Amino acid sequence: MDTTLTIIGGGVIGLAIAEELSLHFPELFLLERHSSFGQETSSRNSEVIHAGIYYPEGSLKARFCVEGNILLYEYCRKFDIPHSKCGKLIIASTQGEVAILENIKRSALKNGVNLEVIERERLSIMEPEVSAIKALLSPTTGIVDSHSLMKRFETNTINNGGNVVYKCEVIAVKKINDGYEVHVKNADNTTFSFTTNFLINCAGLEADKISEMVGIKDEKLRIVFCKGDYYKVRSTINKKIKRLIYPVPHPNMEGIGVHLTIDMAGGVRLGPDVEYLKTNIYDYRLSGNKKEAFFQSAKKFLPSLRFDDISPDMAGIRPKIQKPGEPQKDFYIKEESSRGLKGFINLVGMESPGLTSCIAIAKYVKSLIGNNA
């Protein structure tokens, strides 16, 4: 074999796995088709460190989010990654939503996450700009500079002896004895192939295509692109908001509502919304035609917000395996020996809370490699 281990995809999860495994496989290769890391989902999100509130008990999302929350804060402190454990408020604007808050609190407790009930009077002191009749406080929710995090993963991987290769697109994969033959295309459109014992699919929005290249034809793993727009808030509100503000989530957790997040630079953003795209195209365009909907959603809990205070900011795309109207789907993370593909580690549907979970996922993938080495 030309190498022992290869990772496809240089998003936050692929990079976290590369750092973890480079301690044990220093000759590993991480392949990324773009010119730098995190160019897709990993750089177009709210950069939130989640607590593990919404996910079904026993799911990989619940497990890795709760574990990852702790691990990520530890990592940020160790390597001086900019972050803030600012906390989050999930708010109820109506009596009907109060009942939803109670369900959220019970569900979170099953995952080991304790939320504090905040009544209206205390809420008005904590966040004077926010209007709600009740809220839940998540003290372990925070934000992180995801670019700095990914840069540290990359640096540590290289320092451990690993190879991070950009402008290198996987175009075909063939199962061979004891491993895989991987065909790639370079930036100059030249192609070559190499062999590897282990192959890890962290291709994000293209993960289902990589899975198909290996020979897995599974409709349950077909990714649908789900776009989310963000709007920037330019107002004196920015200096007054201290925590993340979330409405109650959408049914089936297709999204968690147009929420308000802060960033490390002190900016405030609304979003994302949920828009399933008709085709899997990389459509990051912002038309601005959602401004009224964003404004009305935010106005419910930010009464001082004015229409001209918000403007289109950016868009991201979630790699969902949950189709419109379906129940919430878990991460798909498996070593595919049961499909006759020993040494192929498949990660599909790696949406939120992928950022929070990345280090926990990396440790789990290491255990899968260890069991099959």
Side-chain angles (χ1 to χ4, degrees):
M1 291 292 168
D2 296 316
T3 189
T4 303
L5 192 145
T6 302
I7 301 164
I8 303 172
V12 69
I13 294 174
L15 289 164
I17 292 172
E19 187 203 59
E20 175 70 24
L21 294 182
S22 63
L23 294 168
H24 310 278
F25 303 91
E27 79 286 6
L28 72 76
F29 282 80
L30 182 148
L31 309 181
E32 168 54 50
R33 63 178 178 153
H34 292 294
S35 60
S36 184
F37 55 75
Q39 295 297 295
E40 295 174 2
T41 306
S42 294
S43 61
R44 294 173 172 270
N45 58 72
S46 302
E47 298 187 303
V48 173
I49 302 175
H50 291 289
I53 296 168
Y54 304 110
Y55 312 109
E57 180 184 10
S59 66
L60 294 182
K61 285 185 175 180
R63 170 184 167 184
F64 294 144
C65 188
V66 173
E67 291 177 8
N69 177 282
I70 297 169
L71 292 169
L72 188 52
Y73 280 123
E74 290 176 349
Y75 190 93
C76 288
R77 289 192 293 268
K78 179 178 179 180
F79 291 105
D80 294 323
I81 307 297
H83 70 287
S84 172
K85 192 183 285 189
C86 55
K88 172 173 99 173
L89 288 166
I90 309 169
I91 59 171
S93 300
T94 66
Q95 286 298 331
E97 291 180 348
V98 170
I100 298 175
L101 288 188
E102 294 170 355
N103 291 334
I104 291 172
K105 189 174 189 302
R106 285 193 293 270
S107 177
L109 194 58
K110 292 178 181 178
N111 293 338
V113 181
N114 193 20
L115 304 177
E116 183 181 355
V117 176
I118 307 296
E119 301 293 345
R120 186 199 297 263
E121 294 77 11
R122 186 179 169 199
L123 177 61
S124 65
I125 296 171
M126 294 171 66
E127 296 288 353
E129 293 293 322
V130 176
S131 175
I133 59 177
K134 188 173 282 193
L136 294 174
L137 172 64
S138 169
T140 62
T141 300
I143 53 175
V144 63
D145 181 340
S146 59
H147 182 275
S148 296
L149 176 66
M150 289 187 283
K151 183 63 179 176
R152 173 49 58 184
F153 286 150
E154 178 198 50
T155 298
N156 287 355
T157 298
I158 294 170
N159 288 344
N160 291 339
N163 303 277
V164 180
V165 185
Y166 295 111
K167 296 183 179 180
C168 189
E169 181 179 1
V170 174
I171 56 175
V173 179
K174 178 183 178 183
K175 181 72 178 76
I176 59 176
N177 290 336
D178 299 322
Y180 298 86
E181 183 179 272
V182 182
H183 296 254
V184 299
K185 179 174 68 174
N186 286 322
D188 60 2
N189 285 325
T190 59
T191 62
F192 69 96
S193 65
F194 66 95
T195 57
T196 182
N197 295 108
F198 294 98
L199 185 64
I200 303 176
N201 176 18
C202 293
L205 292 166
E206 302 291 326
D208 57 342
K209 293 182 180 178
I210 298 297
S211 189
E212 289 177 0
M213 287 180 190
V214 180
I216 297 175
K217 308 293 184 181
D218 190 339
E219 178 63 22
K220 294 179 181 178
L221 299 185
R222 184 175 64 84
I223 287 173
V224 290
F225 281 17
C226 184
K227 186 178 180 181
D229 287 2
Y230 292 84
Y231 275 68
K232 184 182 299 182
V233 179
R234 295 174 178 170
S235 169
T236 55
I237 291 174
N238 291 25
K239 298 179 181 179
K240 298 177 182 178
I241 298 292
K242 298 180 176 62
R243 299 166 185 83
L244 312 181
I245 311 297
Y246 279 58
V248 295
H250 295 173
N252 296 332
M253 280 296 296
E254 285 185 351
I256 46 182
V258 172
H259 49 274
L260 182 150
T261 57
I262 56 180
D263 60 34
M264 296 305 302
V268 174
R269 182 184 290 147
L270 295 170
D273 62 347
V274 175
E275 178 190 355
Y276 279 96
L277 300 180
K278 294 180 180 179
T279 58
N280 284 8
I281 55 172
Y282 289 82
D283 182 5
Y284 296 116
R285 292 173 298 175
L286 291 166
S287 65
N289 60 2
K290 297 179 179 179
K291 184 173 181 177
E292 180 66 28
F294 269 75
F295 175 71
Q296 292 300 334
S297 294
K299 185 76 172 176
K300 293 176 183 177
F301 59 87
L302 290 175
S304 66
L305 187 70
R306 300 169 302 179
F307 187 73
D308 290 339
D309 288 336
I310 67 172
S311 58
D313 185 31
M314 71 169 189
I317 299 174
R318 310 167 181 91
K320 281 187 173 289
I321 54 176
Q322 174 188 356
K323 312 308 186 292
E326 288 185 348
Q328 184 181 171
K329 295 292 181 69
D330 202 1
F331 291 145
Y332 183 91
I333 307 175
K334 287 188 177 180
E335 196 279 334
E336 299 284 16
S337 286
S338 63
R339 299 184 194 255
L341 297 167
K342 183 178 180 180
F344 180 61
I345 313 295
N346 207 9
L347 293 87
V348 188
M350 307 307 292
E351 55 171 331
S352 183
L355 171 61
T356 305
S357 305
C358 63
I359 299 176
I361 291 170
K363 293 182 180 300
Y364 179 67
V365 169
K366 168 60 177 66
S367 73
L368 295 178
I369 292 289
N371 293 336
N372 291 277

